[in-house]
Amino acid sequence: MIEQPCTPDFAVRRDLAVRIAKSAGARAKSFLSRPEELRASEKSSSQDLVSAADKMTEAHLRRMIKRSFPFGGVVGEEAGRKTGASGFD
């Protein structure tokens, strides 16, 4: 593993990623106690499923990223790619 220098910008982005991941993980975990909201549907095939929890968790991640980095890009499994102007896509 190559260690990244901990520049101020890198540290801010790393810390944000950890906070966002924990928040999204807690949100996704909350769906386990509400199985009726886990309805899955097919995306591209019967092997490729997406649930309401998947969509809502990704939307939460995107909102949190956009709030902190309005010019940043995001790549997600459910909603695809949004190119930003920050150079961090």
Side-chain angles (χ1 to χ4, degrees), residues 50-77:
V50 62
S51 71
D54 295 328
K55 291 178 183 178
M56 292 174 82
T57 300
E58 184 174 313
H60 173 72
L61 285 164
R62 287 175 176 272
R63 278 191 305 276
M64 291 185 73
I65 292 168
K66 185 174 182 174
R67 186 178 306 143
S68 296
F69 299 103
F71 301 107
V74 179
V75 178
E77 183 179 3

Side-chain angles (χ1 to χ4, degrees), residues 11-72:
V12 167
R13 289 177 183 280
R14 181 203 55 222
D15 294 346
L16 174 67
V18 169
R19 284 195 316 273
I20 289 174
K22 287 181 178 181
S23 173
R27 180 171 287 240
K29 187 176 178 182
S30 75
F31 282 95
L32 296 176
S33 64
R34 302 184 323 258
E36 68 281 357
E37 293 185 34
L38 288 175
R39 293 177 299 276
S41 59
E42 290 183 13
K43 284 176 26 176
S44 60
S45 73
S46 62
Q47 302 290 317
D48 188 11
L49 302 176
V50 62
S51 71
D54 295 328
K55 291 178 183 178
M56 292 174 82
T57 300
E58 184 174 313
H60 173 72
L61 285 164
R62 287 175 176 272
R63 278 191 305 276
M64 291 185 73
I65 292 168
K66 185 174 182 174
R67 186 178 306 143
S68 296
F69 299 103
F71 301 107

